């Protein structure tokens, strides 16, 4: 099974907003509201930033938001800051009680 | 606080075996499901396996099915990943992760809320 499709890279200037897309199929993203997003800085473990499509864990800035339409989920980061520069991965529950990740997106803050 | 510490990684020859451990603390271990997720050098995250809180349910990625076995010891607060017939493409940092909610391993509350720091497995002759 191939990974969910994410853009390889996105960039934005401080203060701007960016959106990262995550495209799957009816068997994962489109079929369930169990999409989560993880932020990973170099050499560090992934950190949960969005769960169940559009929910933020405690302690995560309101600048992070999630949404979904059909087979595509999206992560939006508003008011970009230097510390947002990281790799971002989407993940979804997939039928058969498995999990699938996206290929990852490198966010560069210019 | 929740803490997950992986161990057991190292250099291993192709075809050999390795057993990873994940020691958990800071919560009621037996109530939660766990996943193993790996990341090859310079690559993205790849889901490996999940085990339910009672070990009744176990699921694997196609890439490791038949070679890897996930298990747990609720008396020792540990999760394991037995890796057999290792291949060069299994080289990766292996992360242990705990789901958010008690009693679930899929669906609502099954997202990966806590992660360990990972242990590196290198398969090479």
């Amino acid at each position: 099974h191939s990974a969910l499709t994410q853009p390889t890279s996105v960039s934005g200037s401080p203060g701007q907003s960016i959106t990262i897309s995550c495209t799957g199929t009816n068997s994962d993203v489109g079929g369930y509201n169990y999409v989560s997003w993880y932020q990973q800085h170099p050499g560090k473990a992934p950190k949960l930033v969005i769960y169940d499509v559009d929910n933020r864990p405690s302690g995560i800035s309101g600048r992070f938001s999630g949404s979904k339409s059909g087979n595509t989920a999206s992560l939006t980061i508003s008011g970009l800051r230097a510390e947002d520069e990281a790799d971002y991965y989407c993940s979804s529950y997939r039928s058969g009680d498995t999990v699938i990740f996206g290929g990852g997106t490198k966010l560069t803050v210019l | 606080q929740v803490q997950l510490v992986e161990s057991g990684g190292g250099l291993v020859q192709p075809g050999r075996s390795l057993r990873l451990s994940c020691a958990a603390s800071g919560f009621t271990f037996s109530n939660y499901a766990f996943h193993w997720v790996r990341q090859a050098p310079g690559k993205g995250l790849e889901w490996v396996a999940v085990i339910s809180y009672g070990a009744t349910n176990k699921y694997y990625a196609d890439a490791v099915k038949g070679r890897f076995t996930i298990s747990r010891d609720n008396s020792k607060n540990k999760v394991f990943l037995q890796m057999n017939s290792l291949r060069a493409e299994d080289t990766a940092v292996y992360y242990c992760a705990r789901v958010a909610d008690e009693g679930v391993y899929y669906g609502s509350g099954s997202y990966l809320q806590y992660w360990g720091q990972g242990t590196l497995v290198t398969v090479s002759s």
Side-chain angles (χ1 to χ4, degrees):
Chain A
H1 298 288
S2 55
L4 302 174
T5 301
Q6 296 182 232
T8 303
S9 63
V10 298
S11 62
S13 300
Q16 289 185 332
S17 296
I18 63 94
T19 297
I20 300 171
S21 62
C22 169
T23 301
T25 69
N26 290 333
S27 295
D28 38 65
V29 175
Y32 310 93
N33 288 323
Y34 302 134
V35 176
S36 49
W37 290 88
Y38 301 90
Q39 175 192 64
Q40 187 180 37
H41 288 107
K44 300 295 187 180
K47 176 184 178 181
L48 178 71
V49 295
I50 291 289
Y51 68 92
D52 294 353
V53 176
D54 58 3
N55 291 277
R56 269 181 294 107
S58 174
I60 297 300
S61 169
R63 298 184 299 105
F64 290 81
S65 62
S67 63
K68 192 187 85 167
S69 177
N71 293 340
T72 298
S74 298
L75 172 70
T76 297
I77 308 174
S78 58
L80 271 178
R81 298 179 180 176
E83 58 262 36
D84 297 332
E85 185 162 296
D87 294 326
Y88 291 84
Y89 296 90
C90 62
S91 175
S92 174
Y93 169 81
R94 167 171 268 191
S95 56
D97 293 346
T98 60
V99 173
I100 186 169
F101 281 93
T105 298
K106 180 178 181 58
L107 169 61
T108 301
V109 181
L110 302 171
Chain B
Q1 74 280 21
V2 174
Q3 194 167 15
L4 303 173
V5 179
E6 301 94 336
S7 62
L11 175 63
V12 62
Q13 294 180 328
R16 303 298 290 265
S17 299
L18 205 60
R19 188 197 198 203
L20 305 183
S21 298
C22 172
S25 61
F27 60 97
T28 304
F29 178 84
S30 59
N31 291 354
Y32 292 88
F34 288 85
H35 293 248
W36 285 98
V37 177
R38 68 184 181 183
Q39 186 170 35
K43 302 297 184 181
L45 301 175
E46 180 185 18
W47 179 76
V48 175
V50 60
I51 186 167
S52 60
Y53 68 98
T56 302
N57 302 97
K58 305 174 187 180
Y59 296 93
Y60 301 89
D62 288 344
V64 307
K65 201 174 296 182
R67 300 187 299 122
F68 290 13
T69 301
I70 190 171
S71 62
R72 63 189 296 159
D73 186 336
N74 285 351
S75 68
K76 296 182 179 178
N77 288 6
K78 287 188 174 182
V79 183
F80 305 99
L81 186 67
Q82 178 67 42
M83 304 185 295
N84 299 331
S85 303
L86 282 162
R87 306 167 180 168
E89 53 264 37
D90 295 320
T91 294
V93 172
Y94 284 74
Y95 294 101
C96 169
R98 198 206 82 178
V99 303
D101 291 353
E102 295 181 340
V104 299
Y105 67 92
Y106 75 94
S108 181
S110 67
Y111 51 92
L112 306 182
Q113 187 175 21
Y114 297 100
W115 296 65
Q117 285 306 302
T119 186
L120 175 62
V121 173
T122 302
V123 183
S124 174
S125 55

